[in-house]
């Protein structure tokens, strides 16, 4: 019996050591999985926040440009030719500055991605070209330039709304990458 007791004790001890080893490996693996999941969640949140900030910046900049477009329309109503030309030239300078800011913000969106949002931001940027050309024609005194300028507002605003829709979809998509 003494020999069986020794074997049973050795078998029990071996089983305990093996169970402890298996448990520690499982616990370590579970901890690693949990840490990886937490890191992925933090990275996803960081990426979403960076993208959201970039998208909001483009939208705000487009709003500023839209407000200046309205001021161009108002300035075109000035009866005094010299005052009208001066106001339009001032607005042209302000629009150039706002465009430079828009271009920078579009580049940031291009860096943050994803590609469909970057493409929509670039389309918004390009939608400002016709407005600018029409403004130049207004300053030059071309008779139909004011109507051309006003006709450019709707396509510009549609590009803003298109960007907003695509950006919203990208932010709400669970697979942010």
């Amino acid at each position: 019996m003494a020999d069986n007791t020794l074997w049973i004790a050795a078998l029990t001890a071996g089983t305990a050591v093996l169970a402890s080893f298996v448990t520690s490996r499982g616990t370590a693996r579970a901890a690693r999985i949990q840490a990886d999941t937490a890191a992925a969640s933090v990275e996803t949140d960081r990426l979403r926040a960076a993208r959201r900030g970039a998208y909001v910046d483009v939208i705000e900049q487009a709003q500023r440009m839209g407000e200046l477009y309205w001021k161009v329309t108002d300035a075109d109503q000035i009866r005094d030719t010299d005052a009208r030309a001066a106001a339009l030239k001032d607005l042209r300078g302000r629009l150039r500055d706002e465009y430079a800011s828009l271009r920078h913000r579009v580049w940031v969106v291009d860096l943050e991605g994803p590609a469909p949002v970057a493409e929509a931001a670039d389309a918004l940027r390009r939608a400002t070209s016709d407005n600018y050309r029409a403004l130049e024609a207004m300053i030059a005194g071309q008779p139909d330039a004011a109507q051309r300028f006003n006709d450019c507002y709707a396509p510009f605003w549609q590009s803003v709304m298109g960007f907003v829709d695509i950006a919203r979809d990208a932010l709400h998509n669970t697979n942010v990458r």
Side-chain angles (χ1 to χ4, degrees):
M1 267 267 179
D3 288 324
N4 285 342
T5 304
L6 183 60
W7 280 107
I8 291 173
L11 185 60
T12 302
T15 303
V17 168
L18 182 62
S20 175
F21 174 75
V22 169
T23 301
S24 69
R25 281 190 48 108
T27 302
R29 186 168 184 221
R32 186 175 27 247
I33 291 170
Q34 185 177 14
D36 291 345
T37 302
S41 177
V42 166
E43 177 61 19
T44 298
D45 289 345
R46 186 212 57 82
L47 182 60
R48 183 173 281 123
R51 286 180 175 176
R52 183 180 187 283
Y55 302 167
V56 166
D57 287 347
V58 167
I59 294 165
E60 287 176 348
Q61 189 61 34
Q63 282 284 93
R64 281 193 284 281
M65 292 188 77
E67 289 171 13
L68 287 176
Y69 290 157
W70 284 107
K71 289 181 182 186
V72 167
T73 301
D74 292 342
D76 187 53
Q77 303 303 314
I78 298 173
R79 299 229 185 254
D80 180 86
T81 308
D82 292 336
R84 178 182 169 277
L88 291 175
K89 287 177 182 177
D90 175 61
L91 287 166
R92 176 183 58 190
R94 291 171 61 190
L95 278 166
R96 272 191 209 137
D97 293 341
E98 295 299 336
Y99 175 79
S101 182
L102 177 68
R103 188 179 64 233
H104 169 76
R105 292 162 195 252
V106 166
W107 288 342
V108 172
V109 168
D110 191 40
L111 289 172
E112 293 296 335
V117 180
E119 291 165 7
D122 194 52
L124 188 159
R125 180 193 59 80
R126 288 189 319 270
T128 65
S129 298
D130 291 337
N131 297 75
Y132 190 79
R133 283 193 288 275
L135 175 58
E136 286 289 338
M138 289 169 72
I139 292 170
Q142 293 180 8
D144 66 335
Q147 185 58 47
R148 284 189 3 232
F149 184 86
N150 290 332
D151 291 344
C152 294
Y153 188 78
F156 165 75
W157 195 249
Q158 287 172 348
S159 70
V160 172
M161 298 311 296
F163 174 78
V164 169
D165 288 342
I166 291 172
R168 181 185 314 110
D169 290 346
L171 286 175
H172 294 322
N173 185 354
T174 55
N175 184 11
V176 180
R177 302 266 173 207

